[in-house]
C-alpha cells in the first residue's frame, strides 16, 4: 500500500499500544493487510483468448464455434478438453478445474474446423511470426514492423526480442465508453455490463505489466491516450503499475473545437494523453508552433515573414544602409554604389560600380526594367552601404541578402542582409534553415527562441481528429472505413515531445489500429534523417456490425473473405504501405501535401522499409527440437535490430547475415566466430543444450549479444506467464 497509508496504519497501531491494548494493535495490522486501498478491481478476473491459427492437438483447451450462419452464444463460450484427434475429428470432454466448472455437458465430438484453441492469460504460449508482405524504399534503414495478432501474446513475444530496450510506447486503447467497440473473453463489452470498469482495468493492467518489461528502465516514456470515461482510473492504474515512475503528467488535446454531444452533459471537445516518464526521461523541446499556432495563423506569419516583417521566432536581418555618425558618403566613397532591383519580383538583380565623390548620383543613367536603389537616408543625406559589392554578391549567392519592405508613403525599399555573426550561428546550429523564399533568400528561425517544452494544453487545428484523422486517412486508403483514427499530427507531436532527440528510438504501439504511430514515426525520420523504428501491433477483427453481416453469409473468423476485411489487412497494412509508396491501394498518387512542420507532397512517400507479420502459435517441443525455426527466425532478426537480411532457414554449420549470425552446429564454431567478427554483427545465436559450449562461443565473441537457442526463447515465454499472476 502507499507509504502515506502505511504511516496512517502505523500511527493507529502506536496509539493502541500506548493505550495498552496490544490485541487491538494486532487486529489493526491484520485488517490493514487484507484491506485494499486505492484502485480496487478484480485483478485476476478470467481472461481467455482464442488462438486462431493454432493447430489443435491432444490436451488443448478449446471452444466449439457456432454453426456457420449462427452468432456466438453461451454454448460457444464453454471450454472443452481435447482427448484425442483422428481423421479431422476431435474427441472432447468438459473442461473442469477448481477455478472453472461452467461446463456440465457430456463428452462429444467436433470437426477440427469447428474448434479453436483457447488460452488463459496466465498460461504460457510460444509464438512465432510469419511474414505476409513487405515494402522496401529505404535502402539499409531498419524496418517498420506491423504484427497482426492478439496484443497480449504479441507483447509476450516482444519480451524475447526487446526486454528493456524500448524508448517509447504509445497506445490508444479502447476508451470503454459502452459503445461495444472492444472485446473481453471474445464478447463485446457494452454500457449495460456491470463489470465493464473492472474488466477494462484487468485487461489494461495485464498489458501494461508486459509493456513495463519492454521499456528501458533508465530512460523511456509510456504515452496512453484516453477520454473522460476512464482517465481517472487509468492514472491510478499507472501509478500502481509504475510506482517508480519519475513523473506522470496529463496533456489535454482539443480534437474537436465544436465538441461532441454527450446527452445532458457538457460537449466533449478534448481527450487526454497521459505521459509516464521512466528513469531519466524528460520532455524534449519542440517548435512552439507545433502545439500553439493554428495553420491559418501560421500561414499568415509565413506570408508576413516573406515580405520582410519579423515575428518573435524569426532571425534578425541587418539593414544594408549604414546608420550612425560615420555613415556619410565622404567617410567611405567606395561603398556608395547603386543596387538594381526588379520591382515586380522584389529581387536584387544587379550591383553597380562605386561612384567617386565628384560624381552626381542623380545624373547616373537608369537601367531598363530595373530600379536603382542608392544609399540615401530618409532626410536626403548621402550615406553608404555596409558592405562592398563583392561581399554583397557573395551573400546574394548564399541567399543571405534580399529586398525587404516597401514603404508606399515614402516610395522607398529597404534592403536587408544576414550579418557574418548570424551566418556563423547558422553554421553551428543556433539558427535553423527552414526553407527558401521565392526570391532565393533563406527562411530562418532562431533555434532557441522557437523551441520550448510543450505546455499541457494542445489546441491547434492540426489536432482535429476529423480533419487530420478520419478525412486524412481517406487520402491513403480511400473509402475503407475505420472509426476514430487519431490526428496524425497529434500523434506526431506526442512522439516528438519525448523522442525528438533520439534519432534511433524504438517505438511500440500495441493498440495500433490504423497505423498512425508508424506513420508519425516515419514523418519524424523524414524531418531529421533519423532511423527510428516502430512496431505496430493490431488484431484483424472486424466491427460488430460487419461481423453480423459476414456471419449471415456463413463466414467465420479465419475464412479468407472474413480476414480480408479485418483491421490489419484492410486498413493498417494498406495505410502504412501507401504512406511509404505515396500511392493508394488502387495505385493512384496520393493527393495533397503534408502540413505541420514538414510540408511536402504525400505522393513523394517516405524512404522507409516495412514488413508485415502474422503472429503464430508454436509447439514448444517442436521449437526445442529445432523443427520450427522458420517461424521464430523473424524474432531473431528483430532482436538484432530489424535491418538487413533475415536468416530464414537452418543451414549446415552456421549462417551470418548483415546484423546477426546463427551457429547451428558447434563443430563449426571457428568458422562462425571468424565470419561473425568480419561482418561486425551485434548479435549471435547458438543452438546448443550445453552450457559449456554456449560459454565458449560467448568468450570468442566479446561485446556481442550471444543468445542460447532454444533455451532463451522458451524461458522468455515461461517468465512472461509467471509474471502475469504476480
Amino acid at each position: 500500500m502507499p507509504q502515506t497509508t502505511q504511516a496512517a496504519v502505523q500511527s493507529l497501531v502506536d496509539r493502541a499500544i500506548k493505550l495498552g491494548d496490544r490485541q487491538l494493535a494486532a487486529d489493526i495490522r491484520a485488517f490493514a493487510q487484507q484491506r485494499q486501498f486505492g484502485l480496487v478491481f478484480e485483478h485476476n478476473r478470467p481472461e481467455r483468448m482464442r488462438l486462431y491459427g493454432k493447430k489443435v492437438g491432444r490436451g488443448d483447451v478449446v471452444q466449439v464455434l457456432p454453426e456457420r450462419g449462427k452468432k456466438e452464444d453461451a454454448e460457444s463460450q464453454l471450454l472443452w478438453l481435447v482427448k484425442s484427434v483422428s481423421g479431422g475429428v476431435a474427441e472432447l470432454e468438459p473442461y473442469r478445474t477448481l477455478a472453472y466448472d461452467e461446463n456440465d455437458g457430456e463428452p462429444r465430438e467436433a470437426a477440427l474446423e469447428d474448434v479453436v484453441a483457447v488460452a488463459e492469460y496466465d498460461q504460457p504460449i510460444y509464438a512465432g511470426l510469419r511474414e505476409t508482405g513487405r515494402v522496401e524504399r529505404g535502402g539499409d534503414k531498419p524496418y517498420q514492423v506491423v504484427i497482426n495478432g492478439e496484443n497480449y501474446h504479441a507483447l509476450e513475444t516482444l519480451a524475447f526480442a526487446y526486454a528493456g530496450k524500448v524508448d517509447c510506447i504509445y497506445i490508444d486503447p479502447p476508451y470503454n465508453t459502452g459503445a461495444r467497440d472492444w472485446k473481453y473473453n471474445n464478447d463485446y463489452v457494452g454500457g449495460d455490463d456491470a463489470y465493464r470498469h473492472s474488466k477494462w482495468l484487468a485487461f489494461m493492467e495485464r498489458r501494461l505489466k508486459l509493456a513495463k518489461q519492454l521499456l528501458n528502465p533508465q530512460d523511456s516514456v509510456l504515452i496512453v491516450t484516453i477520454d473522460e470515461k476512464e482517465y481517472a482510473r487509468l492514472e491510478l492504474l499507472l501509478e500502481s503499475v509504475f510506482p517508480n515512475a519519475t513523473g506522470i503528467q496529463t496533456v489535454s488535446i482539443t480534437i474537436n473545437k465544436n465538441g461532441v454531444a454527450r446527452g445532458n452533459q457538457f460537449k466533449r471537445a478534448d481527450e487526454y494523453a497521459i505521459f509516464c516518464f521512466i528513469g531519466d526521461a524528460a520532455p524534449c523541446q519542440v517548435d512552439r508552433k507545433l502545439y500553439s499556432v493554428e495553420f491559418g495563423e501560421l500561414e499568415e506569419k509565413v506570408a508576413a515573414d516573406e515580405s520582410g516583417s519579423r515575428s518573435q521566432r524569426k532571425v534578425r536581418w541587418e539593414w544594408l544602409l549604414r546608420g550612425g555618425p560615420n555613415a556619410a558618403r565622404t567617410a567611405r566613397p567606395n561603398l556608395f554604389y547603386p543596387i538594381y532591383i526588379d520591382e515586380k519580383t522584389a529581387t536584387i538583380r544587379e550591383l553597380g560600380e562605386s561612384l567617386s565623390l565628384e560624381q552626381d548620383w542623380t545624373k547616373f543613367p537608369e537601367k531598363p526594367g530595373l530600379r536603382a536603389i542608392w544609399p540615401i537616408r530618409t532626410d536626403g543625406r548621402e550615406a553608404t552601404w555596409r558592405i562592398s559589392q563583392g561581399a554583397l554578391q557573395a551573400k546574394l549567392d548564399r541567399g543571405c541578402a534580399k529586398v525587404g519592405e516597401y514603404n508606399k508613403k515614402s516610395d522607398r525599399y529597404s534592403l536587408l542582409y544576414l550579418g557574418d555573426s548570424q551566418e556563423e550561428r547558422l553554421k553551428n546550429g543556433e539558427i535553423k534553415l527552414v526553407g527558401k523564399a521565392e526570391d532565393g533568400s533563406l527562411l530562418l528561425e532562431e533555434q532557441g527562441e522557437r523551441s520550448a517544452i510543450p505546455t499541457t494544453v494542445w489546441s491547434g487545428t492540426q489536432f482535429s481528429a476529423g480533419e487530420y484523422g478520419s478525412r486524412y486517412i481517406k487520402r491513403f486508403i480511400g473509402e475503407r472505413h475505420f472509426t476514430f483514427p487519431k490526428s496524425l499530427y497529434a500523434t506526431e507531436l506526442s512522439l516528438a515531445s519525448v523522442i525528438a532527440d533520439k534519432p534511433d528510438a524504438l517505438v511500440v504501439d500495441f493498440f495500433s489500429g490504423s497505423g498512425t504511430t508508424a506513420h508519425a514515426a516515419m514523418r519524424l525520420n523524414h524531418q531529421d534523417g533519423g532511423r527510428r523504428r516502430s512496431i505496430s501491433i493490431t488484431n484483424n477483427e472486424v466491427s460488430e456490425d460487419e461481423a453480423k453481416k459476414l456471419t449471415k453469409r456463413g463466414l467465420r473468423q479465419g475464412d479468407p473473405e472474413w480476414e480480408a476485411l479485418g483491421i490489419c489487412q484492410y486498413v493498417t497494412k494498406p495505410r502504412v504501405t501507401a504512406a511509404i509508396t505515396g500511392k493508394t491501394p488502387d495505385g493512384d498518387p496520393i493527393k495533397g501535401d503534408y502540413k505541420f512542420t514538414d510540408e511536402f507532397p504525400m505522393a513523394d512517400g517516405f524512404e522507409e522499409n516495412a514488413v508485415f507479420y502474422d503472429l503464430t502459435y508454436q509447439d514448444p517441443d517442436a521449437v526445442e527440437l529445432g523443427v520450427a525455426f522458420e517461424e521464430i527466425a523473424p524474432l531473431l532478426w528483430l532482436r538484432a535490430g530489424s535491418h538487413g537480411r533475415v536468416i530464414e532457414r537452418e543451414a549446415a554449420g552456421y549462417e551470418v547475415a548483415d546484423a546477426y549470425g546463427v551457429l547451428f552446429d558447434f563443430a563449426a564454431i571457428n568458422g562462425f566466430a571468424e565470419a561473425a567478427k568480419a561482418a561486425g554483427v551485434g548479435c549471435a545465436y547458438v543452438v546448443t543444450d550445453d552450457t559449456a559450449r554456449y560459454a565458449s562461443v560467448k568468450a570468442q565473441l566479446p561485446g556481442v549479444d550471444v543468445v542460447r537457442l532454444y533455451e532463451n526463447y522458451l524461458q522468455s515465454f515461461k517468465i512472461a506467464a509467471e509474471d502475469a499472476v504476480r
Side-chain angles (χ1 to χ4, degrees), residues 2 19 46 189 253 255 315 325 383 438 442 630 633 637 668 695:
L19 292 172
V189 179
I253 305 175
I255 62 171
V315 173
E438 290 184 4
L442 304 181
E630 290 186 22
W637 175 77

Side-chain angles (χ1 to χ4, degrees), residues 289 297-311 314-315 317 344-347 399 401-406 413-414 416 434-445 599:
K289 71 186 179 189
E297 296 171 3
L298 178 58
E299 288 163 1
E300 290 175 6
K301 287 180 180 293
V302 171
D305 290 336
E306 288 177 347
S307 67
S309 68
R310 298 169 177 78
S311 69
K314 294 302 175 183
V315 173
W317 291 63
K344 292 181 180 179
T345 60
T347 55
K402 63 181 180 180
V403 177
E405 292 179 325
Y406 170 68
Y413 285 92
S414 62
L416 307 172
V434 295
K436 282 193 174 184
E438 290 184 4
D439 64 358
S441 64
L442 304 181
L443 294 176
L444 306 169
E445 288 184 334
E599 299 190 10

Side-chain angles (χ1 to χ4, degrees), residues 411-453:
D411 189 30
R412 289 174 61 90
Y413 285 92
S414 62
L415 301 181
L416 307 172
Y417 77 106
L418 199 64
D420 292 343
S421 61
Q422 295 288 67
E423 286 201 59
E424 186 63 30
R425 294 181 65 221
L426 176 63
K427 290 179 182 178
N428 64 29
E430 293 179 46
I431 294 174
K432 182 179 180 180
L433 173 64
V434 295
K436 282 193 174 184
E438 290 184 4
D439 64 358
S441 64
L442 304 181
L443 294 176
L444 306 169
E445 288 184 334
E446 288 282 356
Q447 191 78 326
E449 291 181 6
R450 65 185 286 271
S451 298
I453 292 176

Side-chain angles (χ1 to χ4, degrees), residues 25 161 269 276 278 327 353 382 384 443 524 554 584-585 610-611 619 689:
C276 184
I278 311 297
E353 297 293 327
E382 296 177 340
T384 63
L443 294 176
L524 291 182
T584 68
V611 62
D619 181 340
D689 290 329

Side-chain angles (χ1 to χ4, degrees), residues 157-457:
T157 304
L158 291 184
F160 167 72
Y162 294 126
K165 297 179 181 179
V166 173
D167 298 290
C168 174
I169 292 178
Y170 176 98
I171 56 173
D172 180 37
Y175 284 8
N176 201 26
T177 62
R180 296 179 63 82
D181 55 359
W182 71 287
K183 287 182 176 181
Y184 192 89
N185 281 342
N186 199 47
D187 193 15
Y188 289 101
V189 179
D192 58 350
D193 189 331
Y195 294 96
R196 69 185 177 99
H197 294 297
S198 191
K199 288 178 178 179
W200 187 85
L201 287 166
F203 173 86
M204 289 297 297
E205 182 186 48
R206 289 161 192 159
R207 285 152 182 80
L208 289 172
K209 284 182 175 180
L210 290 173
K212 183 179 180 180
Q213 296 178 23
L214 300 181
L215 288 166
N216 178 353
Q218 305 302 319
D219 182 359
S220 61
V221 180
L222 168 72
I223 307 169
V224 189
T225 58
I226 200 69
D227 73 0
E228 79 279 10
K229 299 294 184 181
E230 293 286 4
Y231 87 95
R233 280 177 278 266
L234 177 59
E235 286 196 345
L236 289 172
L237 180 62
L238 290 173
E239 290 177 358
S240 172
V241 176
F242 297 92
N244 296 320
T246 53
I248 297 177
Q249 199 168 17
T250 300
V251 171
S252 171
I253 305 175
T254 302
I255 62 171
N256 185 333
K257 288 196 170 182
N258 295 323
V260 177
R262 290 288 206 203
N264 59 352
Q265 301 176 343
F266 290 111
K267 288 184 176 182
R268 174 202 173 210
D270 66 344
E271 65 181 20
Y272 310 104
I274 304 177
F275 289 72
C276 184
F277 296 94
I278 311 297
D280 295 330
C284 301
Q285 289 200 349
V286 298
D287 193 328
R288 294 176 191 270
K289 71 186 179 189
L290 304 195
Y291 60 89
S292 62
V293 178
E294 298 183 15
F295 285 141
E297 296 171 3
L298 178 58
E299 288 163 1
E300 290 175 6
K301 287 180 180 293
V302 171
D305 290 336
E306 288 177 347
S307 67
S309 68
R310 298 169 177 78
S311 69
Q312 183 180 3
R313 294 187 298 274
K314 294 302 175 183
V315 173
R316 180 175 180 272
W317 291 63
E318 304 289 339
W319 297 100
L320 188 59
L321 180 65
R322 185 181 294 276
N326 296 320
R329 174 184 179 183
T330 54
R332 297 179 180 82
N334 61 315
L335 295 181
F336 189 87
Y337 57 87
I339 297 175
Y340 297 95
I341 69 169
D342 183 338
E343 291 187 275
K344 292 181 180 179
T345 60
T347 55
I348 297 174
R349 303 302 299 272
E350 292 183 30
L351 305 179
E353 297 293 327
S354 299
L355 269 64
S356 65
L357 290 174
E358 293 77 24
Q359 291 177 290
D360 185 352
W361 65 274
T362 61
K363 297 179 180 180
F364 206 78
E366 298 285 337
K367 288 184 178 288
L370 300 177
R371 176 174 174 172
I373 306 296
W374 294 89
I376 306 299
R377 302 179 74 163
T378 54
D379 59 4
R381 287 182 295 168
E382 296 177 340
T384 63
W385 301 121
R386 288 179 178 270
I387 55 178
S388 67
Q389 295 97 319
L392 179 56
Q393 186 60 57
K395 287 187 179 292
L396 282 169
D397 294 341
R398 295 193 296 272
C400 295
K402 63 181 180 180
V403 177
E405 292 179 325
Y406 170 68
N407 188 316
K408 187 176 181 179
K409 186 176 181 179
S410 63
D411 189 30
R412 289 174 61 90
Y413 285 92
S414 62
L415 301 181
L416 307 172
Y417 77 106
L418 199 64
D420 292 343
S421 61
Q422 295 288 67
E423 286 201 59
E424 186 63 30
R425 294 181 65 221
L426 176 63
K427 290 179 182 178
N428 64 29
E430 293 179 46
I431 294 174
K432 182 179 180 180
L433 173 64
V434 295
K436 282 193 174 184
E438 290 184 4
D439 64 358
S441 64
L442 304 181
L443 294 176
L444 306 169
E445 288 184 334
E446 288 282 356
Q447 191 78 326
E449 291 181 6
R450 65 185 286 271
S451 298
I453 292 176
T455 68
T456 55
V457 177

Side-chain angles (χ1 to χ4, degrees), residues 433-717:
L433 173 64
V434 295
K436 282 193 174 184
E438 290 184 4
D439 64 358
S441 64
L442 304 181
L443 294 176
L444 306 169
E445 288 184 334
E446 288 282 356
Q447 191 78 326
E449 291 181 6
R450 65 185 286 271
S451 298
I453 292 176
T455 68
T456 55
V457 177
W458 302 352
S459 59
T461 303
Q462 60 267 43
F463 306 126
S464 167
E467 183 66 27
Y468 300 109
S470 301
R471 286 189 282 278
Y472 236 37
I473 197 173
K474 289 183 179 180
R475 301 190 185 202
F476 296 89
I477 61 175
E479 295 303 318
R480 301 179 182 216
H481 183 65
F482 182 80
T483 55
F484 310 123
K486 312 299 287 185
S487 161
L488 172 62
Y489 303 121
T491 304
E492 181 182 326
L493 178 55
S494 296
L495 296 183
S497 296
V498 296
I499 60 168
D501 58 353
K502 295 179 179 178
D504 298 303
L506 174 59
V507 180
V508 171
D509 181 351
F510 54 90
F511 288 101
S512 69
S514 67
T516 306
T517 301
H519 201 157
M522 292 189 290
R523 268 188 51 82
L524 291 182
N525 285 344
H526 185 272
Q527 292 163 29
D528 62 9
R531 295 167 64 90
R532 297 174 184 85
R533 295 170 287 157
S534 66
I535 299 177
S536 301
I537 302 167
T538 184
N539 57 36
N540 201 41
E541 290 184 353
V542 299
S543 68
E544 185 178 21
D545 290 340
E546 191 70 48
K548 290 177 180 177
K549 295 175 184 177
L550 294 171
T551 299
K552 285 183 179 180
R553 291 172 52 194
L555 298 173
R556 286 175 176 163
Q557 186 167 348
D559 292 341
E561 298 95 329
W562 183 299
E563 295 299 319
L565 296 176
I567 296 172
C568 189
Q569 298 294 339
Y570 196 61
V571 177
T572 318
K573 288 173 63 175
R575 192 254 183 94
V576 173
T577 299
I580 293 174
T581 63
K583 296 181 179 179
T584 68
D586 294 330
D588 300 321
I590 299 170
K591 297 178 181 179
D593 295 345
Y594 287 109
K595 292 182 177 290
F596 218 27
T597 59
D598 190 16
E599 299 190 10
F600 65 95
M602 294 175 179
D604 287 357
F606 296 107
E607 293 182 356
E608 296 282 354
N609 303 313
V611 62
F612 308 101
Y613 291 112
D614 283 346
L615 190 73
T616 63
Y617 297 99
Q618 306 302 311
D619 181 340
D621 294 333
V623 172
E624 198 161 18
L625 291 172
V627 295
F629 181 81
E630 290 186 22
E631 295 199 358
I632 72 164
L635 295 177
L636 311 185
W637 175 77
L638 285 176
R639 180 166 176 151
S642 66
H643 66 93
R645 183 173 63 88
V646 180
I647 299 174
E648 297 178 340
R649 296 175 181 81
E650 288 198 34
Y654 67 87
E655 186 163 356
V656 174
D658 307 75
Y660 70 105
V662 183
L663 176 62
F664 296 101
D665 185 349
F666 185 77
I669 174 60
N670 292 331
F672 174 70
E674 291 178 8
K677 290 176 182 177
V681 302
C683 189
Y685 300 93
V686 184
V687 180
T688 182
D689 290 329
D690 191 303
T691 304
R693 288 183 172 182
Y694 165 72
S696 175
V697 177
K698 194 172 179 66
Q700 291 198 48
L701 295 173
V704 175
D705 177 23
V706 180
V707 181
R708 184 176 171 185
L709 293 180
Y710 294 91
E711 166 115 0
N712 289 54
Y713 166 86
L714 296 170
Q715 189 65 21
S716 175
F717 288 99

